[in-house]
Amino acid sequence: MTFTKNGLVYFLAFCSGFCIMGIELLGGRILAPFFGSSVHIWGSIITVFMLSLSLGYLLGGKLSTHNASLAKYGFIFLIACICVTPIALFSQPIMAYIFTHIEDSRYGSLLASMALFFIPTVILGMISPYSVRLLVTESDKSGQIAGILYFVSTLGSALGTIITSFYFVLAFDVNSIITTFAITLGLLGLIAIMIGSNVRREAPIHA
């Protein structure tokens, strides 16, 4: 059962990395009709994602110190699903409002990026430190496990970038891809919660 739990955590970390970079890459396509696709548009998107992820790392690390469990881990994915969905539903009216009220595309794109991506990316950023907490049971192996986890997560990010840019955008519209990412996160969360209910009899994770 421990092997199943650990394997699931690595798999979910991989998928979260895939989704994060897929959404970030699509951010440029989402903002382009209103703000263009110049370098400062990408500067706005990257800045928002980096700030959001950094805050998510802090919050995820803090949350993981309070009776970390696979079920709670799954709820992070469910919340991410809920927060990602509005990107597909409300991006157009949000950007239209910002575009008509802020003339400078630099600050308009920065505000639009904040409105669309800040909260979902904060939630997604919580996944990595929480994953480490679930995997580490012996302090002398924490560095090795963290290294493997970030390797898996970053590999997922790389694949998310290449597959989204090379294939997804050619076959589907942006909102469909975003919705698929949201549904995937929700399903992964449900899987984690269900499996987590079967491992509650294991020894608890100690601080």
Side-chain angles (χ1 to χ4, degrees), residues 131-152:
S131 301
V132 173
R133 180 63 175 145
L134 289 175
L135 292 168
V136 173
T137 56
E138 300 176 30
S139 59
D140 60 336
K141 295 183 179 179
S142 59
Q144 179 184 6
I145 290 174
I148 295 172
L149 178 75
Y150 287 114
F151 166 79
V152 170

Side-chain angles (χ1 to χ4, degrees), residues 25 160-171:
L25 186 65
T161 301
I162 200 73
I163 292 176
T164 300
S165 61
F166 278 29
Y167 302 105
F168 287 173
V169 295
L170 299 179

Side-chain angles (χ1 to χ4, degrees), residues 21 34-35 80 96 112-113 131 143 174 188 200:
M21 287 307 300
F34 291 89
F35 303 102
S113 297
S131 301
V174 171
L188 292 172
R200 288 174 183 172

Side-chain angles (χ1 to χ4, degrees), residues 10 12 17 20 33 50 54 59 70 93 106 123 149 155 182:
Y10 283 121
L12 264 61
I20 289 171
M50 292 298 99
S54 64
L59 294 176
L70 193 57
R106 294 174 299 175
I123 304 302
L149 178 75
L155 181 61

Side-chain angles (χ1 to χ4, degrees), residues 22-34:
I23 294 170
E24 181 175 0
L25 186 65
L26 293 173
R29 294 286 293 268
I30 294 172
L31 268 65
F34 291 89

